[in-house]
Amino acid sequence: MSQTPPLPNDPDHNSWMDRFLNTVERVGNKLPDPALMFFYGMIIVWICSAVLAQFHIEMIHPTTGQTIAVNNLLTGNAMANALSTMVNNFTHFAPLGIVLVAMLGVGVSEKSGFINTGLKKLLRVTHTKLLTPILVVVAILSHLAADAGYVLVIPLGGIIFHAAGRHPLAGIVTAFAGVSGGFSACFVPTGTDPLLQGFTQSAAQIFDPDYQVNPLCNYFFTAASSLLVVLVVWFITDKIVEPRLDWHVPVDHDADEATDMGSYTKLESKAFKLASLAMFVGLLLLALYIFPEDSPMRSPDGELTSLAAPLMKSIVPLIFLIFVLPGIVYGLVAGTYENAKDVINAMGETMSDMGSYMVMSFFCAQFLASFDDSNLGTLLALSGAEVLEAMNLSGQVTIIFMILLTAIINLLIGSASAKWALIGPILIPILMAVGIAPELTQAAYRVGDSVSNIISPLMVFFPLIVVYCQRYVKDTGIGSLASLMMPYSLSLLVLWSVFLLIYWALGLPLGIQGHYVYPPH
C-alpha cells in the first residue's frame, strides 16, 4: 500500500490554515483573563470619562428627549459612589442569580449520571445509516448539561463510529460540530437562554431603562436552527469529511485498545427509566397547574406568555426543578446519591465549578455600572446610530455584519458570556437606536458565537478534542483538527446566517416576546 499523505500539522507541510491558526493562537494567548479584561475596561472607562467630560460632549436621547452628557467618574463624589455601590452592583447583576439557580438543578442531574445515561441509551439504539444525524441530535441535546457534550458525547462519537466500522475521527468531529458548532441550537430551552438574556437586558437598559427581555425570546429560532444544524453537519460528514478521512487518514492499528465509554449497567438503565418517569410526572403536574384559565401562573389579563405572568418569571426556577427531580431519583436508585447530603454536595461541586464565572461576573458588574454611570454607552450608541444611518445600510446587512464580527471576536475570546458581556453593551444600544430589537441582535450574536468555536484553538476544550482524536490517529494536531472542522464552520456560517434572514423575512416569531424591531409594535 502506498504511503498516505502527512497530516496538515506536519511541520514540512504547513498550510495557510496552519499559519492562520497559529497566528490566532499567539494573539489570543496574549489576551488577559476575562475578569481582568473587565477590570481593565473599567479603568479605561474611568479615564475616558474624565478626559471626554472636559469637552462638554452632549447629545439628545431620541426616546426620552433628555440631554446626555459625559459624567466624569474620577471626581471625589463619583469614586465614593463607585465604592458604596460595589456590592450592590454585584448582587443585583442580573445574569448571576439566573445562571447559578439553573445550574444547581442541572448539576444534580449531571452528577447523578442521569443525563449521561440518557445520552448513551439514545446512541446505542440508533441504526448505522442514521448514526450521523442521531449523533448530532444527541450532541445538541447535551447543551442541557453544561459541558457534558465535550466530556461524554464527543468521545462516545468516536467509539460508536469505530464500532460501526466507520472512521472514528468522523464520529468525533461530527459530535464536536454538533456540541460546539451548533452551540446556540437546541430543541428545548437550556441554561444559555437565561444566561444571555441577563446580559441582553442589562445592555438594552443602557438605552431604555424600562426595557425587559424574556429568557425565551430566541427559543423558537434556536429550536428551528437545530434542524438546520443536523442537516448541515450530516451532509458535511457523510459527503465531505468522512470520505477524505477514509482516503487520507488511516486509523492506527492499536486504536481498538481505547477505553469503552459507551456502556451502562442494568441498574443504571432502571434508574434512568424511573427518573424519566419522575420528570414526566413533574411536567404533567406543571401542565395541570398552569393551563386552567384561573391558574395563579397567568398574568392579570389571563396570559401565560406575558412578561407579567408569574410563569415567565419562573422559567429559571422551573429549569431547576425539572432537572433536580429526575437527578435525585436517578441518584438514589443508581446509588450515586445515598442521602440528602450527597445531593447537597453535588450542588456544592457544581457551584465550585462556577467559581471563575462568579469572579468574572463581579468585575463585569462593575464595568457595566461604570459604563452606564459615565453615559459613554448611551453616547456611543447614539453616535454609532448616526454612522449607521449615514451609511444607510439595510437591517439585513447590519445583522450580517453583526454575525461576522461576533465570529471573528470568537476566535480570540471563547467564553460566550464574557464576549456578550463585553460587546453587548456597545452593540445592543447602537442597533436599538436604528430600530433593531435586542432580541434580534441576540439571535445574530448566537449564530456568530457558535460557528467559529470549532476552528478556534483558543476554545478551552479544543486541546481535549485533539486528545480524543489521538486515541485513533496519534499524529493528530491542532492544525489537522481545525482543517477537518473548517467545512463545518464555513457551511454553518453561511447557511445559518441565510436561515436567520429568511426566518426574519417570513416574520416567524423568534421566541416568546421575541421582537425584531425597536420599539416593539
Side-chain angles (χ1 to χ4, degrees):
M1 181 178 295
S2 61
Q3 183 67 32
T4 56
L7 289 172
N9 65 309
D10 190 318
D12 295 328
H13 294 78
N14 282 332
S15 66
W16 67 269
M17 179 58 63
D18 293 302
R19 293 192 295 271
F20 167 71
L21 291 169
N22 289 337
T23 300
V24 170
E25 186 172 12
R26 285 195 300 271
V27 173
N29 283 336
K30 294 180 180 179
L31 293 175
D33 183 87
L36 285 175
M37 290 177 65
F38 288 117
F39 173 73
Y40 297 148
M42 181 181 67
I43 300 300
I44 292 172
V45 167
W46 288 356
I47 295 172
C48 289
S49 72
V51 173
L52 294 176
Q54 308 307 314
F55 294 94
H56 305 289
I57 299 173
E58 295 181 348
M59 298 186 74
I60 303 298
H61 196 295
T63 303
T64 65
Q66 294 179 338
T67 300
I68 307 297
V70 178
N71 292 325
N72 185 350
L73 298 186
L74 290 183
T75 63
N77 289 337
M79 296 302 293
N81 181 68
L83 289 173
S84 63
T85 59
M86 186 175 292
V87 174
N88 196 56
N89 292 338
F90 180 47
T91 57
H92 287 75
F93 185 54
L96 183 63
I98 290 172
V99 172
L100 296 185
V101 171
M103 289 307 301
L104 282 174
V106 173
V108 171
S109 269
E110 182 179 1
K111 296 185 182 301
S112 72
F114 170 67
I115 292 176
N116 290 354
T117 300
L119 295 175
K120 292 177 182 179
K121 289 177 76 72
L122 183 57
L123 286 173
R124 286 189 63 178
V125 298
T126 303
H127 191 278
T128 303
K129 292 183 178 180
L130 295 176
L131 200 56
T132 302
I134 294 299
L135 178 58
V136 182
V137 169
V138 173
I140 290 174
L141 289 174
S142 73
H143 299 156
L144 290 166
D147 299 327
Y150 293 101
V151 299
L152 176 74
V153 178
I154 294 176
L156 272 178
I159 291 168
I160 294 172
F161 264 55
H162 197 202
R166 299 178 62 177
H167 202 295
L169 263 61
I172 291 173
V173 298
T174 297
F176 187 26
V179 171
S180 194
F183 176 71
S184 288
C186 198
F187 300 100
V188 295
T190 69
T192 304
D193 295 303
L195 171 64
L196 295 182
Q197 172 265 341
F199 289 109
T200 302
Q201 181 168 295
S202 297
Q205 290 176 348
I206 294 175
F207 190 78
D208 182 351
D210 297 324
Y211 200 87
Q212 298 290 316
V213 178
N214 192 299
L216 300 181
C217 65
N218 286 161
Y219 170 56
F220 300 151
F221 172 70
T222 56
S225 296
S226 301
L227 298 175
L228 174 74
V229 172
V230 170
L231 293 174
V232 172
V233 175
W234 186 4
F235 178 83
I236 297 297
T237 295
D238 288 4
K239 301 301 181 181
I240 299 176
V241 171
E242 190 167 15
R244 178 176 178 271
L245 284 169
D246 289 337
W247 182 259
H248 292 290
V249 186
V251 178
D252 294 340
H253 296 298
D254 58 353
D256 289 332
E257 299 177 4
T259 304
D260 179 16
M261 297 173 63
S263 60
Y264 52 84
T265 66
K266 291 184 178 179
L267 180 60
E268 288 174 333
S269 180
K270 176 184 177 182
F272 179 79
K273 291 177 182 177
L274 292 175
S276 299
L277 178 62
M279 175 182 276
F280 175 77
V281 171
L283 291 172
L284 179 61
L285 291 175
L286 175 62
L288 293 175
Y289 180 53
I290 67 174
F291 281 117
E293 292 184 1
D294 59 347
S295 170
M297 299 299 281
R298 293 180 178 272
S299 65
D301 59 0
E303 295 291 330
L304 279 176
T305 58
S306 167
L307 286 173
L311 177 64
M312 290 297 99
K313 298 177 181 178
S314 305
I315 294 296
V316 175
L318 287 173
I319 291 174
F320 167 79
L321 292 173
I322 288 170
F323 280 98
V324 78
L325 177 61
I328 291 173
V329 172
Y330 181 96
L332 292 176
V333 176
T336 50
Y337 296 149
E338 295 182 356
N339 48 49
K341 184 179 179 181
D342 290 338
V343 177
I344 298 302
N345 288 339
M347 292 183 180
E349 291 176 13
T350 301
M351 289 299 98
S352 67
D353 294 339
M354 299 297 292
S356 60
Y357 172 79
M358 287 187 275
V359 173
M360 185 202 76
S361 294
F362 172 78
F363 289 103
C364 180
Q366 310 311 321
F367 165 75
L368 288 176
S370 297
F371 202 49
D372 188 28
D373 292 342
S374 68
N375 281 337
L376 289 178
T378 303
L379 290 168
L380 184 60
L382 295 175
S383 300
E386 289 183 350
V387 172
L388 287 176
E389 287 177 345
M391 294 175 67
N392 198 29
L393 297 176
S394 67
Q396 290 78 5
V397 173
T398 302
I399 287 298
I400 292 298
F401 275 128
M402 169 80 189
I403 294 172
L404 292 174
L405 175 64
T406 303
I408 292 171
I409 295 175
N410 193 41
L411 294 173
L412 301 176
I413 305 174
S415 170
S417 56
K419 186 164 57 266
W420 192 221
L422 192 64
I423 66 176
I426 298 173
L427 294 177
I428 287 176
I430 289 177
L431 296 184
M432 288 176 73
V434 295
I436 295 178
E439 293 86 353
L440 176 56
T441 304
Q442 178 182 283
Y445 169 79
R446 297 180 77 160
V447 173
D449 176 58
S450 299
V451 297
S452 59
N453 278 333
I454 49 181
I455 58 170
S456 173
L458 298 180
M459 202 270 284
V460 291
F461 288 103
F462 204 90
L464 180 63
I465 313 305
V466 173
V467 172
Y468 293 151
C469 292
Q470 288 173 343
R471 293 177 179 175
Y472 305 99
V473 180
K474 290 185 173 62
D475 291 333
T476 305
I478 287 178
S480 51
L481 176 59
S483 67
L484 289 174
M485 302 312 301
M486 185 60 71
Y488 297 103
S489 181
L490 294 178
S491 299
L492 287 171
L493 173 62
V494 173
L495 296 176
W496 209 345
S497 299
V498 172
F499 181 71
L500 176 56
L501 296 182
I502 295 174
Y503 197 94
W504 181 9
L506 293 175
L508 300 174
L510 285 171
I512 299 174
Q513 272 102 38
H515 308 295
Y516 287 105
V517 298
Y518 175 85
H521 296 315

